[in-house]
Amino acid sequence: MENSDKWDRTGPGQSRPCKETRDSSTQTDSKIQGHGPRLSKVNLFTLLSLWMELFPQENHEEDDNSQFQIRAVGLVVVQEGKVVGLHCSGAELHAGQTAIIQHGVRLADCQLYFSRRPCATCLKMIINAGVRQISFWPGAPEISMLKPTLTNHPNSISHSPPHAITKEAALDAIATEQLKSNSRPHIFVQLQPLAPGLGQFVYETSRDCDFMEKMVYYDRLLNREELFNSERGRHLKDFSSQFLVGTCQQHKDILTHMGLENFCAEPYFSNLRHNMRELVEVLAAVAAGVPQRNCGFYREQLATSLPPHDEEVSQEVARHCVIQARLLAYRTEDPKVGVGAVIWAKGKLAGCSGTGCLHLVGCGFNAYPAGSKYAEYPQMDSKQKDRQRRKYRYIVHAEQNALTFRMRDIKPEEATMLFVTKCPCDECVPLIRGAGITHIYTSDLDRDKDKGDISYLRFSSLKDISKFIWQMSPPASSVPSPPIANGCIGKRSRQSEQESYRNKKPCSDSPSVSC
């Protein structure tokens, strides 16, 4: 092949080198691989875009008379290594159009990560805004190349024969090709192999995360391994059909009709599908860690009065946002599992975008201060006797990063919701209250726990903030709280308590999570 495809400046047949060991962090200028595997920036942003494509939609309006099919698209807007926008397609607006409306010329010098190739309508506006870099997954594009078929899943892939290409899709492919040929932005495909051991690491930490732990406590006969594997298998099947276009030949046929036939060259094509398959497996494991069975996020009944903003989101949206936070947690610079946080504001008027009334405020994970090198600060945890060598005074917490690098002000008239993978600690509680957060969605396994270097004693004092805790569905006052030993609830005590239960194996010693 004499001309490499301009969508990927490395050229087909050349896989991009894995930069995991020298990848700069989204938080610091890290040059050294941490103590545990972590997601690269590219793969994190790609995963977030895939997950945003699946954002729960309240209304699925389908026009049976339409001559072509518009597929849902997820979009992540990144600036200087930080997420500044999470978008998805809605009833009227495409994800790219939503980004233009919300960010405007601020998209200049941003990188955009699409879950699939954007249509010409979105692409021309994005190019006009001065976007610096566009990355996408070359599966079925936003305007489907295939004729729509009757389906129960709004995002499902049409199984029409490859030759059933709509005229609208063909015209869009031609326009898109000409737009990218004359564009200033760097338009290409970015996927990297996972760091060695990351897939197993995500599997184990998702299986043993706080949300799974709480379910095991409520149902003592529950087999954690079986539940997790069942959920993971179901998600893996759904996500594979969503993002991996049928067979290899079907995928190649679509790429050819998109004008991306150079992507069909080997070993480039096989590498692309392999890397995406790895990401799909990671996404399935992370989603399986927050199962949709018997538990949900329900308002804690301890508050004496409701806050001024009594709005809440559906169980589907709450779970989706917590999984966003769980994905962010795998980019942590803490050598352990890490913590992720996402803040959304709920406006008064619903837009036409896929997120409805929700607008991203900020997101983050626990990391060392910006500009520092990974190995410049202590890595030890509370097990070390020398407190000077412990990490806790140096790590910036996930909630703190989400508030520091927020994209919009927190407005008193709006409900502002924090979704975090771990109970907020005493260091973060005053910040959450002072910032004007009105809702918290989390697990409370560490409530009232005091570890000396980090404690969770103030969380119970948040009386004027609605707390939605991961608990049994529906909440039952007769269900006792997890036992508190020595002023704390620790995984070791919970594990030993469950060892005697029938059909249960002792939990593996997964790393303890801390902010």
Side-chain angles (χ1 to χ4, degrees):
M1 290 170 291
E2 297 178 2
N3 298 322
S4 63
D5 196 293
K6 292 183 180 180
W7 287 101
D8 186 353
R9 301 297 173 87
T10 60
Q14 302 175 20
S15 58
R16 291 182 174 272
C18 178
K19 300 180 180 179
E20 192 68 31
T21 57
R22 52 188 174 87
D23 182 28
S24 295
S25 166
T26 53
Q27 174 71 7
T28 69
D29 297 327
S30 171
K31 300 297 181 183
I32 302 176
Q33 175 69 16
H35 288 70
R38 58 201 290 248
L39 282 171
S40 67
K41 291 186 296 182
V42 167
N43 286 344
L44 171 63
F45 301 148
T46 302
L47 279 168
L48 287 172
S49 73
L50 300 180
W51 188 236
M52 283 304 299
E53 180 172 311
L54 301 174
F55 196 93
Q57 303 290 312
E58 294 183 359
N59 297 312
H60 300 295
E61 298 182 4
E62 297 184 3
D63 184 3
D64 295 333
N65 297 321
S66 63
Q67 296 180 352
F68 57 91
Q69 181 183 23
I70 303 296
R71 301 182 58 86
V73 173
L75 170 60
V76 178
V77 181
V78 177
Q79 187 173 44
E80 296 181 354
K82 296 179 176 62
V83 176
V84 298
L86 294 174
H87 307 288
C88 62
S89 303
E92 296 183 13
L93 292 175
H94 298 193
Q97 294 172 328
T98 300
I100 289 291
I101 290 175
Q102 293 193 15
H103 302 276
V105 294
R106 294 190 301 274
L107 285 176
D109 298 327
C110 286
Q111 301 88 44
L112 272 57
Y113 290 79
F114 284 91
S115 61
R116 58 187 70 245
R117 191 192 71 174
C119 68
T121 300
C122 292
L123 187 59
K124 67 183 179 184
M125 298 179 68
I126 291 167
I127 293 173
N128 189 50
V131 172
R132 184 174 65 186
Q133 177 178 298
I134 300 172
S135 175
F136 71 103
W137 164 242
E142 185 166 21
I143 294 186
S144 177
M145 303 302 297
L146 308 179
K147 289 183 178 179
T149 57
L150 296 177
T151 175
N152 294 325
H153 196 301
N155 294 326
S156 64
I157 293 174
S158 172
H159 296 288
S160 299
H163 63 272
I165 305 300
T166 66
K167 181 178 180 181
E168 188 69 28
L171 292 174
D172 185 76
I174 294 173
T176 301
E177 182 69 15
Q178 187 167 351
L179 282 167
K180 64 94 176 176
S181 298
N182 298 321
S183 67
R184 296 184 304 274
H186 185 44
I187 306 176
F188 62 123
V189 172
Q190 282 195 110
L191 283 179
Q192 296 174 347
L194 294 183
L198 179 58
Q200 183 66 21
F201 181 70
V202 172
Y203 176 92
E204 293 176 355
T205 52
S206 295
R207 179 197 59 197
D208 300 331
C209 70
D210 284 3
F211 303 101
M212 290 292 295
E213 192 82 18
K214 195 77 174 280
M215 295 188 70
V216 171
Y217 172 77
Y218 281 135
D219 187 352
R220 297 179 176 180
L221 298 181
L222 181 67
N223 188 305
R224 181 204 306 257
E225 194 86 23
E226 290 181 359
L227 171 62
F228 181 78
N229 285 333
S230 174
E231 289 288 301
R232 178 180 174 274
R234 179 173 62 85
H235 288 307
L236 188 58
K237 180 180 178 180
D238 291 343
F239 298 162
S240 295
S241 65
Q242 180 79 11
F243 303 115
L244 288 169
V245 182
T247 65
C248 291
Q249 187 57 49
Q250 288 175 325
H251 194 178
K252 288 181 179 180
D253 290 339
I254 289 180
L255 290 177
T256 300
H257 288 297
M258 288 168 62
L260 303 178
E261 59 274 3
N262 286 349
F263 274 30
C264 299
E266 295 291 355
Y268 189 76
F269 177 78
S270 295
N271 288 341
L272 275 178
R273 285 182 65 91
H274 172 74
N275 292 342
M276 175 54 74
R277 188 175 295 107
E278 287 188 328
L279 290 188
V280 166
E281 291 174 354
V282 166
L283 187 60
V286 173
V290 191
Q292 290 180 301
R293 294 190 186 183
N294 302 326
C295 282
F297 292 94
Y298 295 97
R299 188 191 302 272
E300 190 177 56
Q301 303 300 322
L302 299 180
T304 56
S305 61
L306 294 177
H309 305 288
D310 193 28
E311 299 93 341
E312 58 185 88
V313 295
S314 67
Q315 290 293 332
E316 292 78 13
V317 171
R319 178 177 175 273
H320 192 278
C321 294
V322 166
I323 292 173
Q324 291 172 0
R326 292 209 65 234
L327 287 170
L328 286 161
Y330 286 103
R331 182 60 188 166
T332 182
E333 292 176 353
D334 191 317
K336 296 193 175 181
V337 175
V339 181
V342 182
I343 304 175
W344 290 88
K346 190 172 185 180
K348 296 297 183 181
L349 298 176
C352 299
S353 66
T355 57
C357 298
L358 295 181
H359 306 280
L360 181 68
V361 175
C363 58
F365 49 85
N366 51 338
Y368 293 102
S372 59
K373 308 296 182 184
Y374 183 85
E376 288 180 344
Y377 292 111
Q379 307 292 307
M380 306 302 179
D381 57 21
S382 57
K383 296 179 182 178
Q384 300 296 321
K385 294 182 179 180
D386 184 3
R387 295 187 65 185
Q388 185 176 348
R389 299 181 60 195
R390 298 179 189 174
K391 65 188 178 183
Y392 297 102
R393 294 182 185 273
Y394 306 97
I395 288 283
V396 182
H397 300 196
E399 303 95 317
Q400 296 168 356
N401 272 320
L403 289 170
T404 301
F405 300 110
R406 65 184 183 274
M407 301 305 112
R408 64 198 303 266
D409 292 333
I410 294 177
K411 302 177 182 179
E413 66 274 12
E414 292 181 342
T416 305
M417 307 177 179
L418 168 67
F419 301 86
V420 60
T421 60
K422 191 174 183 66
C423 177
C425 70
D426 292 354
E427 190 175 325
C428 292
V429 164
L431 294 170
I432 293 170
R433 192 199 307 270
I437 300 294
T438 60
H439 297 67
I440 298 176
Y441 290 77
T442 188
S443 171
D444 65 343
L445 282 181
D446 284 314
R447 180 198 295 265
D448 301 326
K449 183 176 180 180
D450 186 356
K451 295 169 58 177
D453 291 281
I454 187 168
S455 56
Y456 303 87
L457 305 178
R458 293 186 178 184
F459 182 69
S460 296
S461 69
L462 286 172
K463 302 298 184 183
D464 298 326
I465 297 179
S466 291
K467 289 177 283 188
F468 291 82
I469 307 300
W470 180 254
Q471 54 188 300
M472 182 177 291
S473 170
S477 58
S478 59
V479 177
S481 300
I484 298 179
N486 297 325
C488 69
I489 308 171
K491 283 195 174 182
R492 290 185 178 274
S493 62
R494 293 194 300 271
Q495 174 179 323
S496 60
E497 180 181 328
Q498 295 166 0
E499 286 179 350
S500 60
Y501 296 153
R502 182 166 59 91
N503 295 331
K504 290 294 296 169
K505 297 181 180 179
C507 304
S508 61
D509 290 330
S510 59
S512 175
V513 182
S514 63
C515 287

